[in-house]
Amino acid sequence: MTQSAARRTLRDDRREPDGGAADGPSDKASDKASDNDGGDIPASGADGGHRPRRRMLKWFAAVLALLLVGAAGAGYVYYRHLNDNIKQNPLNLGDNKVAQPTPNAAGQTPLNILLIGSDARDSEENQKLGGARETFGATPLADVQMLLHLSADRTNMSVISMPRDTLVQIPKCTDPEDGTVYEASKGRVMTNQSLGHGGPGCTVATWQELTGIHIDHFVMVDFAGVVSMADAVGGVPVCVDANILSRDSKGHGSGLKLREGTHPVKGEQALQWLRTRYGFGDGSDLARAKAQHMYMNSLVRELRENATLSSPNKLRRLAEEATRALTVDPGLDTVKKLYDLSDELRKVKPERVTMTTMPNRYVGARVEPTEDAEQLFRLVREDIALDGRDQKSARAAEAAQEATSTEPAAPDAEIAVQVVNGTRTDALAAASGRASAVAGILRETGFTGAFAGTAGSLGRERTAVRYPSADLEGDAHRVAEALGIPASSVQRSTDVSGVTLVVGADWREGTTYEAPEQDDTTPESAEALNGADDTACMKVNPAFTWS
């Protein structure tokens, strides 16, 4: 079976329908049965599926590959056979693109890299590690997705993890191998399905649609790469606050068994740590993400301090394993390109690395982004450090406000603008007539196509201009410019069908908009973890402890 054909044979028990059914409550009992993160143990659910969904952090191996291929030194970067090991796919399979960020005063631009963990069982080694023999060669899922943002000045790094069951709208994507067109999902579906819509380039397109962040590269890695690279590092210290055995009475769990305290894990035990859901916190993917963040931070510290990595033979073996495990975009398709990227990543000290999880709320058994998530995305778009130590954040915010879209705008009189009253707050009713009043202000300014929307009043803290597609971006920025609304408040959104001005609670009266002081702090709901924090310890669920 070809790779393209395999992607089209997606099993019913491995995806949600594209009809939006995933947007509501689901059978939690079935979810738990089909989401086993343990060894090769069958699980059954109401849908008749028998494949345990094992999750693992594969993105850490991708970063490890970037770091260690570079650490191998100039003597290795020219080995042609390493280049031959690396697989590549197109960067973006969607129709819409996001403009690159404007360079800073020194001519530098940020780097955004999407790290993808595939659950593919496409080799005997991956099958042995991942189990689920009945899914051999079936369509893989993007079960780990993390965006790594390297600041323009290379002083700090931010990572945003998106839970695998986040509900998103996957855009239209075209398979680069056979031209198969995957239409945009009807309603919201789980984000991990994006990989099956033509490959990693569709996962990139999905992220860009959701966040408005330009993505420069992607790196995807599989099961086997995690184990081989963990072995080469020599072990990564992890901590649990009690004895843990990740296995329940039905056999669900990764099988991880550790005593209370800090212990180095490597090989398959490292894989168990990264896949463990049963036993950490509340047993959700959110708890597992915390464990993955702790592992990655510890791994980065080990890479900087571990003397065993000075062995040329170990470095060569690691470079071999890393390149075989990777699938990248054409911009990273040689060891030299990976080395150059790793050199950039190594400029950031652990104390300037911030790990976060996309703020979310439950929708049934799934999750969706919150307004805090948009705040987090904005900070990344504007290259503002998530650790709060960026002295240039105020200048970056000011520059973002002054920035304009690269898309041309239509003449003011030809721009249709719907104005919506969003002035309602928890304490105050909506300011009467604000949509009509602001629409009148726009018409007087020359936007004769402005009109008040008929939708009921909304509750929005800040005034914003929203647009649905790239071809209207320039129009949206022009409307914002005319009213003195900062460019950072111009947002792409699939919730609107045209340029829409949402008058927020910060503009309840008057004819002139005065932008409030911008909050550039990382939301608490992102649960930020600093890369230098070596005291973090996973909380063990009492139901999974032992004595």
Side-chain angles (χ1 to χ4, degrees), residues 171-341:
K172 174 184 173 183
C173 292
T174 302
D175 191 313
E177 291 188 10
D178 60 11
T180 298
V181 176
Y182 295 85
E183 296 296 339
S185 60
K186 298 176 181 178
R188 298 185 301 174
V189 298
M190 287 172 57
T191 184
N192 63 355
Q193 295 179 28
S194 59
L195 189 59
H197 288 218
C202 194
T203 305
V204 169
T206 301
W207 268 81
Q208 291 197 155
E209 288 283 336
L210 177 68
T211 67
I213 297 170
H214 174 81
I215 296 177
D216 300 281
H217 301 290
F218 75 79
V219 177
M220 185 169 70
V221 72
D222 60 15
F223 286 114
V226 174
V227 171
S228 60
M229 287 186 280
D231 284 341
V233 174
V236 176
V238 296
C239 176
V240 288
D241 69 353
N243 296 346
I244 182 175
L245 174 58
S246 179
R247 188 77 77 200
D248 68 9
S249 60
K250 296 181 180 179
H252 301 150
S254 70
L256 177 70
K257 186 175 183 180
L258 287 175
R259 288 191 176 277
E260 176 184 352
T262 300
H263 310 276
V265 294
K266 62 180 181 178
E268 292 194 44
Q269 191 175 43
L271 187 62
Q272 289 176 330
W273 174 275
L274 299 167
R275 287 160 52 184
T276 294
R277 179 166 66 84
Y278 292 94
F280 285 156
D282 62 359
S284 70
D285 277 326
L286 303 179
R288 175 160 43 196
K290 292 181 182 178
Q292 294 168 350
H293 292 169
M294 292 180 187
Y295 185 98
M296 178 55 193
N297 285 339
S298 182
L299 174 62
V300 171
R301 292 192 296 268
E302 287 297 300
L303 291 174
R304 289 178 171 271
E305 301 171 3
N306 195 331
T308 65
L309 295 180
S310 62
S311 165
N313 287 334
K314 288 183 178 180
L315 287 171
R316 171 183 283 190
R317 185 171 65 251
L318 181 57
E320 292 275 3
E321 298 294 345
T323 52
R324 277 200 294 265
L326 296 179
T327 300
V328 299
D329 67 275
L332 294 176
D333 63 352
T334 67
V335 175
K336 176 62 167 63
K337 293 175 183 177
L338 289 171
Y339 174 82
D340 290 342
L341 179 57

Side-chain angles (χ1 to χ4, degrees), residues 29-30 33-34 42-51 252:
S30 176
S34 65
S44 60
D47 60 358
H50 297 283
R51 180 176 90 68
H252 301 150

